[in-house]
Amino acid sequence: MANVFIFNICLLWIMSGVESCSVPSSLHVLVPKTIEPEHEISRVDVSDCTGFSTSDPSFSVTANGLIVASAPAAVTAEGRTFSVWAQHNNGLRSEMKVHLVYNTLKESHTGQGFLKRFKRRWSPPPFNILENDKGPYPKDIETIVSDSEATHNVYYTCSGPGVNEYPANVFSLNRRSGMLTVHQPVDREQFPVFKILVSVFDSNTHQPTDLPLPIEIKVDDVNDNAPEFAGPLQFTVQERCSAGTVIGKVIATDRDEPGSRHVLIKYILLTGSDLFNIDGATGVITAATNTLDREVKDKHLVTVQIKDMGGDANCLSSTATATIQLTDINDNPPTFTKASYDVSVPENEGEKLILRIPVEDKDLINTPNWISKFVITKGNENGNFRIDTDPKTNEGLLYVTKPLDYELNKNIKLEISAQNEAELNGTTAKWMSIPVEVAVTNVDEGPQFSAPTVRFIVKENTPNGTLIGTYTAVDPETKSSNGIKYYKTSDPASWITVDKNTGELRVANTIDRESQFVKDGIYNITVKAVDASSKTGTGTVIIQVDDVNDNVPQLPTEDLVLCEKEGALGSVVVVAEDKDQPPLSSPFTFALPSDNDGKWSVSRLNDTAGTLQQMKELPTGIYQVTMMVTDLQGYGREQTVNVRICQCRNGVCLAKDRSMSLGGLGVLALLLPLALLLLLILLLAFFCLTRAEKVQLDDAGDSGGILLKSNTEAPGDAVDSSLIVPPYETAAKGDVKNTMLNAAWPGNKSSSTIGANSIHENGLYKGGISTTNMQEFYSGQYDSQYDAQYGGQYGGQLLGSGVNFDNRQFAQDAAFLQTWQTNGRYLNQKLGYLGTEEDRRYADDIIHSYGYEGAGSAAGSVGCCSDNGETDNLDFLNTLGPKFKTLADVCRKS
């Protein structure tokens, strides 16, 4: 196998000499494991070649084409590969890959201590193929021979990627000869290396005759991929930047073998080289000048080319366009469109726009470098003008803020400077200014006072008619006061008069510094001046009112509470007030009259208060204490304070603590029941005064023909109508309803009187109770009693066609009416008596005899006064209570 390899090398040398300066693409050289300095590796053809270079500094090529180890020390050959470039006469270059392969010999120590050399086991060097080789195919690579072939009849097999694995069928191995063959081109960028496994077997026994041999087939790179740009080519740089300023970096990639010249990229600017530079090795773009001007050109497009092979003639290349955007700086001041301006404005006008000043600026619009800022540099010492910037048009807006006076200045010269919000940068230019001449036009004006405001000092209480000053005006055009009249337009307290012709100010009424119209000692009036043409001017008169001592200190008028303490004398604080100002007021002096009773003493607490001390024990009550209070000037008088001595709780007298105050609604709520009661009394008195005469009944003895005596309560017999004779009139048969309704019947709706003149005489009770609705009175209070007497049927039948007692019809008997009235009157008189008893007892039942009425009534006794003493009596009247008794009293008294 070694002989075959050497033969191939010799063949390469021979082939290399066929074509002048035509080096092979790859070269495998068998070398020792360690290469000593000056060791000759191989030789290449130097005909028609102008020079050689290597990628490995450990090796060099001599002038006669000999490849030698040039390192000063030994180098290791294991896995070492480097390139040799041959320079052609025409300037082109060729590349040759040199692969160094060393011998592998198995050596071992024996037990006798000497070395024994064994035959080299099959171990061929890595095989190399050229990527994308054009063929023809199939193409033999190398023969693989095992040492076991000398003693065995063998055959070979191989497996792995490129054989029976993806990508399959790229390689094959001849079973008998061991020739390794490639069948198609291979792309190194996709498959840089193939690792296959070769095995050798005995043809007879099919047993391995040697260990499996791993083989690497390396794919040598060819420059078949052009470099590519990575990332966007967008860069920005500030205008007017200095030369050499870094703008950006171009980044490129290459898919060819890393570390080889195939990926050595060179960067070139095809356009824009007058303004920009690019580093050929790094791709960094820099400014070539300091004249980049955004206002001339804000965007530059430059063409960048990238080449591999370091830019050699046979290199591959790509081009792209890079965009370089210039950012703005304030290198252009705003410029005026005119050299000067003239404008006119009427006098006395304020807050008026009088001029628009346009400017131009080349800087980037709507940035601080472009937005204008105007300044009035001269002529505005009095502050009559203001200049702003229109945010939409960037113009200067000149305003008159304070009215101008034609008589004082007819022409004003201004100087206005136009600037930017940002300071100037990258330029020697300065801010520009222009003159603006403002002409003030004359206007016929009203009178003008000598000053907008005038101040006079006046003492309060100054006598009326006193002259306090003169306030006059003049005509601005004539500078004269002739013909000007003066009037007041404001004088809240009417204290001042103004002379219409002279403008003299005099006191008209007493000036009081303590008046509500005086604020902090100042009182203002407004005066108007009117000229002959009815034009007016207004001025303000400020009157400073000086204080005089016309107010004495005042003591409080409300009661001062002194809380009573057992075994101790109390005190109260008396605070005085003086409307005057210092030094005409506080500090105050407190004193008691010389003839005081000795019960109190007073001492000064502070400038405005004194302490009133109790000197003797005094009973609770209100005491009037006379005191003398004077101000700092000794002006004062005797005054009285009320001191309330009382027992306190939380500093408040107990009597006051328990007191309550009622508002208007509370008082109204208390008066409303009284008003209603008074109305009720008047109503009852009216009915009492208009009552009818009552029949006086004598209750002595038996009732005779009115009621029959009866001691039974069984159902009675039919009553003979002749026994019941009405005392006044006889009702017509069938007309009992109307007759009864006109009497004292429970259903009577007319007004009645019960016991009009109440006395207690011979067992007769004459009450004093009146009512306007007898039906309500009887039905509400006596239904149960009358039900017991008359069978409980009167309530629903008396108002019908007749009255039915014990199921017996006697409604047509008119004599029944007198019987009913008699009993009703008796009971009513007894009711009136209830209000005459002072000890609030109620009248006892009086026993009466009744005539026999036949069988007893199922309804029970006729009334409470039967001999049997039925429980159905008038005791329920006891529950009516004091209110009913009061009502009876009222009716009785009336």
Side-chain angles (χ1 to χ4, degrees), residues 684-696:
L684 292 176
F686 173 76
F687 283 114
C688 289
L689 292 175
T690 58
R691 67 185 182 277
E693 286 296 329
K694 301 300 177 182
V695 179
Q696 301 297 326

Side-chain angles (χ1 to χ4, degrees), residues 35-55:
I35 304 175
E36 298 296 332
E38 303 301 329
H39 180 76
E40 295 181 2
I41 304 300
S42 182
R43 183 184 295 275
V44 295
D45 185 9
V46 297
S47 58
D48 294 333
C49 293
T50 60
F52 293 90
S53 60
T54 65
S55 62

Side-chain angles (χ1 to χ4, degrees), residues 52-243:
F52 293 90
S53 60
T54 65
S55 62
D56 192 338
S58 299
F59 302 94
S60 63
V61 181
T62 64
N64 56 2
L66 187 63
I67 302 175
V68 298
S70 59
V75 296
T76 303
E78 182 178 1
R80 204 174 191 96
T81 300
F82 61 92
S83 296
V84 175
W85 289 284
Q87 188 74 30
H88 296 208
N89 291 328
N90 57 8
L92 299 177
R93 296 174 60 180
S94 298
E95 181 184 11
M96 178 179 65
K97 289 280 189 179
V98 178
H99 304 275
L100 301 182
V101 183
Y102 67 93
N103 292 325
T104 303
L105 300 177
K106 294 294 183 180
E107 299 178 350
S108 63
H109 294 280
T110 62
Q112 288 77 13
F114 60 90
L115 295 175
K116 182 180 180 180
R117 184 178 297 273
F118 289 87
K119 289 184 63 178
R120 179 175 56 85
R121 179 183 175 273
W122 69 333
S123 181
F127 300 130
N128 293 76
I129 63 173
L130 195 64
E131 75 165 323
N132 298 325
D133 192 354
K134 296 182 179 179
Y137 294 98
K139 187 174 185 178
D140 292 339
I141 299 176
E142 187 65 77
T143 300
I144 300 175
V145 179
S146 173
D147 292 344
S148 63
E149 187 176 333
T151 58
H152 295 274
N153 184 16
V154 298
Y155 65 91
Y156 299 92
T157 63
C158 67
S159 62
V163 181
N164 58 344
E165 297 178 13
Y166 179 79
N169 302 321
V170 176
F171 304 101
S172 65
L173 182 66
N174 189 286
R175 288 174 60 90
R176 293 300 177 183
S177 64
M179 177 60 72
L180 182 63
T181 304
V182 60
H183 296 272
Q184 60 188 38
V186 178
D187 187 1
R188 189 209 65 85
E189 285 71 41
Q190 188 175 6
F191 306 104
V193 64
F194 292 91
K195 294 182 179 181
I196 63 177
L197 187 64
V198 178
S199 301
V200 57
F201 301 92
D202 187 279
S203 298
N204 299 320
T205 64
H206 302 290
Q207 295 296 318
T209 60
D210 206 339
L211 295 175
L213 175 65
I215 296 178
E216 281 189 0
I217 305 175
K218 293 184 178 179
V219 182
D220 289 339
D221 185 40
V222 295
N223 192 20
D224 58 343
N225 290 282
E228 298 177 353
F229 290 94
L233 300 179
Q234 301 286 338
F235 308 101
T236 59
V237 67
Q238 192 178 77
E239 66 170 332
R240 304 286 182 181
C241 65
S242 59

Side-chain angles (χ1 to χ4, degrees), residues 607-681:
D607 287 353
T608 59
T611 302
L612 186 61
Q613 178 69 46
Q614 180 185 359
M615 303 301 296
K616 296 180 180 180
E617 292 188 4
L618 300 174
T620 59
I622 298 177
Y623 296 85
Q624 293 183 339
V625 182
T626 302
M627 298 178 60
M628 169 64 76
V629 185
T630 58
D631 57 22
L632 183 60
Q633 308 302 324
Y635 183 43
R637 61 180 175 84
E638 287 189 353
Q639 300 178 56
T640 301
V641 295
N642 296 328
V643 181
R644 178 187 294 272
I645 301 177
C646 60
Q647 294 182 354
C648 297
R649 179 184 299 162
N650 298 327
V652 181
C653 290
L654 291 179
K656 288 187 176 182
D657 194 26
R658 291 191 298 269
S659 66
M660 296 177 61
S661 61
L662 295 176
L665 293 178
V667 174
L668 182 61
L670 292 177
L671 294 179
L672 184 60
L674 297 178
L676 293 176
L677 181 59
L678 180 61
L679 181 61
L680 180 61
I681 292 173

Side-chain angles (χ1 to χ4, degrees), residues 336-343 355-359 414 416 434-438:
F336 294 97
T337 58
K338 292 179 64 176
S340 64
Y341 289 91
D342 296 316
V343 64
L355 181 63
R356 281 182 170 268
I357 305 176
V359 293
L414 303 177
I416 297 176
I434 59 168
V436 176
E437 188 167 325
V438 180

